[in-house]
Amino acid sequence: MKKMALFGGAFDPIHSGHLAMAQRLAETLSLDSVLLMPSFVPPHKIRESMADGAHRLEMCRLAIEGQPLLQVSDMELRRGGASFTIDTLEELHRLYPDTEWYLITGADVFCTLRTWHRFADVARLAVLCTVARCGTDTAALTDYAARLQADGYRCYVDTQPVQTVSSTEIRVRAAAGKPLGGLVPSCVEAYIKQYGLYQHAAAMLTQTKDEQYTEIIRARLGDSRFQHSLCVAQEARRLAQKYGADADKAYTAGLLHDIMKDTPPQAQLQILQEFAILLDGVEKTNPTLWHARTGAAFLQHILGVDDAEILDAVRYHTTGRVGMSLLEKVLFVADFTSADRTYNDVDVMRRLADESLEAAMEYGVVYTIHDLLNRGVAIHPDTVMVYNELVLSGQQEGIQHEK
Ligand code: DGI
Ligand code: FE
Ligand code: FE
């Protein structure tokens, strides 16, 4: 049986680190060939500084010249639309029936494999492989692999590190007109120069965290959900300024709050499992509630967001809870009053949001509970409790006013 590996990625551009990984695994696993496959990037997800598919493909072709074990495939570029790795693996299995497949990913991506669309099928169709990188944490990698193996998945980690190369650094150097000094093969360097690729990349050096998060949610969300997130971020900042919450945190929380909203339930279940998050009874029955839990976990463990207030604001943005912080309330209300919202009572809600956060919250919670009752859907206990809290404190105020 032949042994082949799929090595997918943006390859923006392909560099010496990619090539070293491919060669290393080809040798240690005695592969017959490694297929480099540049990914299609949908138009609304393209960064300004990104090279288009034809260029990324051509650079891969140039880079593998004279290397018989490496091949390039334009399968995903030709397919168009964002491809899931599982679709590609299934097609490869059809095209090359008597082949044992390996899947090569970078070390950082390897540690997110369980969150991939139809991960169990991916792992069934390919042995999951990666190579450690100089200066990164090999223990984390081997731990992750050990847990995959304990669950019966086939994987392979080459712990002898290869050179760490950053595509970002290459793009930034290209933008500054600096030599790429061996980070890419010389033919690729000449190609980048010839076509003037990455001319806008210098801006990325000064990219703020929020700009990076914006790129991340742009890549993870459909267009309307992405627009919604931008609108909630702006609205959360405005409300934070009005009510004295931290406006920067509010903006960031708004950007990130729905980061998992377009992730299929199956993939969200994997995240829940991965980070040992237990759902309560109502959550179990209602997948629309999961994105708040998986979102907070993804932010904390994968994006490295360490601000507990932001994490809680995301975690409770759908159900609410008793004793919400100012930031939690701001995000909760902003999700109702953002510029993209068009439901019937949205102007009532916006007017209330300008009078009092609590009044707006109460209106929003009542609106949601009505909707859930109409649809015969269970109401999360946190939503019931925050409703009671809001109603009771409203009455308290009423009593004090009368006195
Ligand atoms: O993610 P968004 O669409 O921006 O808004 P969201 O996170 O507030 O999600 C709202 C959806 O969650 C809405 O369809 C109602 C639904 N939902 C289901 N069960 C509950 C619930 N919302 C609350 N607050 N409480 C529930 O028990
Ligand atoms: Fe949400
Ligand atoms: Fe939302």
Side-chain angles (χ1 to χ4, degrees):
M1 203 144 91
K2 274 196 143 189
K3 292 165 102 180
M4 293 181 70
L6 166 63
F7 187 1
F11 297 121
D12 190 32
I14 183 146
H15 57 59
S16 311
H18 298 129
L19 293 166
M21 270 179 73
Q23 280 151 356
R24 168 73 67 73
L25 289 169
E27 276 167 36
T28 48
L29 296 169
S30 315
L31 303 175
D32 293 291
S33 89
V34 175
L35 219 52
L36 302 173
M37 192 175 299
S39 53
F40 178 85
V41 179
H44 68 283
K45 293 181 184 173
I46 293 181
R47 282 178 279 107
E48 193 186 5
S49 63
M50 186 154 201
D52 72 34
H55 283 313
R56 292 183 287 117
L57 183 71
E58 188 52 30
M59 288 188 282
C60 287
R61 289 206 175 111
L62 291 169
I64 62 158
E65 250 169 55
Q67 307 206 51
L69 293 183
L70 306 188
Q71 292 180 48
V72 175
S73 164
D74 62 354
M75 182 185 286
E76 290 190 2
L77 288 173
R78 251 187 308 114
R79 188 185 293 142
S83 292
F84 288 114
T85 296
I86 186 63
D87 299 326
T88 303
L89 278 174
E90 282 174 344
E91 191 169 341
L92 290 171
H93 270 259
R94 277 194 297 275
L95 288 173
Y96 304 83
D98 294 312
T99 304
E100 180 171 28
W101 280 95
Y102 293 76
L103 177 68
I104 302 178
T105 61
D108 46 350
V109 172
F110 184 82
C111 292
T112 67
L113 273 170
R114 277 191 203 253
T115 70
W116 283 25
H117 179 56
R118 292 177 56 198
F119 164 72
D121 294 321
V122 170
R124 189 171 46 75
L125 292 186
V127 182
L128 313 169
C129 310
T130 192
V131 183
R133 283 185 199 162
C134 296
T136 59
D137 187 2
T138 309
L141 211 55
T142 48
D143 283 355
Y144 197 85
R147 278 188 286 147
L148 287 173
Q149 270 161 347
D151 290 338
Y153 299 116
R154 299 169 298 157
C155 58
Y156 175 83
V157 175
D158 194 321
T159 51
Q160 192 80 296
V162 291
Q163 185 193 3
T164 307
V165 178
S166 148
S167 299
T168 307
E169 184 187 339
I170 294 169
R171 295 192 296 265
V172 168
R173 283 167 81 145
K178 287 194 202 146
L180 303 185
L183 297 177
V184 300
S186 53
C187 50
V188 171
E189 177 162 2
Y191 186 93
I192 291 173
K193 207 162 182 187
Q194 183 185 350
Y195 288 94
L197 304 183
Y198 308 121
Q199 290 306 306
H200 301 287
M204 294 190 359
L205 261 184
T206 51
Q207 228 183 15
T208 63
K209 267 273 180 281
D210 282 343
E211 283 165 344
Q212 291 168 24
Y213 293 149
T214 303
E215 293 311 317
I216 292 169
I217 59 165
R218 191 203 302 278
R220 297 195 69 89
L221 298 175
D223 212 17
S224 59
R225 184 58 52 179
F226 173 64
Q227 295 302 334
H228 165 70
S229 303
L230 295 181
C231 291
V232 172
Q234 279 177 12
E235 174 69 353
R237 177 162 56 201
R238 186 185 74 85
L239 291 174
Q241 280 160 351
K242 183 172 171 69
Y243 291 105
D246 185 318
D248 294 335
K249 287 188 189 190
Y251 186 86
T252 304
L255 272 184
L256 296 172
H257 79 288
D258 275 341
I259 189 163
M260 280 292 137
K261 186 85 178 185
D262 287 347
T263 300
Q266 199 53 43
Q268 290 195 62
L269 276 179
Q270 265 146 20
I271 293 178
L272 294 169
Q273 200 187 9
E274 172 73 13
F275 300 113
I277 297 169
L278 297 176
L279 296 178
D280 59 41
V282 174
E283 283 172 336
K284 274 188 195 138
T285 65
N286 190 347
T288 54
L289 294 174
W290 299 354
H291 74 286
R293 303 294 307 271
T294 54
F298 187 87
L299 298 183
Q300 181 177 5
H301 300 294
I302 295 181
L303 294 191
V305 174
D306 56 7
D307 188 294
E309 290 184 88
I310 292 177
L311 294 174
D312 278 340
V314 172
R315 170 164 177 181
Y316 296 104
H317 86 267
T318 304
T319 58
R321 64 161 165 172
V322 166
M324 287 168 83
S325 70
L326 190 54
L327 192 73
E328 288 172 36
K329 292 179 182 174
V330 161
L331 179 61
F332 189 90
V333 172
D335 202 6
F336 278 92
T337 56
S338 58
D340 62 300
R341 292 296 199 195
T342 54
Y343 55 93
N344 276 340
D345 289 359
V346 70
D347 10 310
V348 183
M349 186 69 189
R350 290 198 177 119
R351 190 167 45 69
L352 285 172
D354 283 332
E355 285 167 18
S356 128
L357 273 183
E358 287 72 23
M361 281 200 52
E362 183 175 337
Y363 195 87
V365 168
V366 168
Y367 185 95
T368 302
I369 290 178
H370 268 296
D371 176 55
L372 296 170
L373 287 175
N374 284 334
R375 293 192 282 126
V377 177
I379 300 166
H380 193 273
D382 281 344
T383 307
V384 177
M385 303 252 288
V386 72
Y387 166 77
N388 287 346
E389 182 189 47
L390 289 161
V391 170
L392 292 175
S393 70
Q395 286 172 356
Q396 210 99 66
E397 260 171 41
I399 292 165
Q400 277 162 6
H401 283 312
E402 276 163 34
K403 274 186 190 162

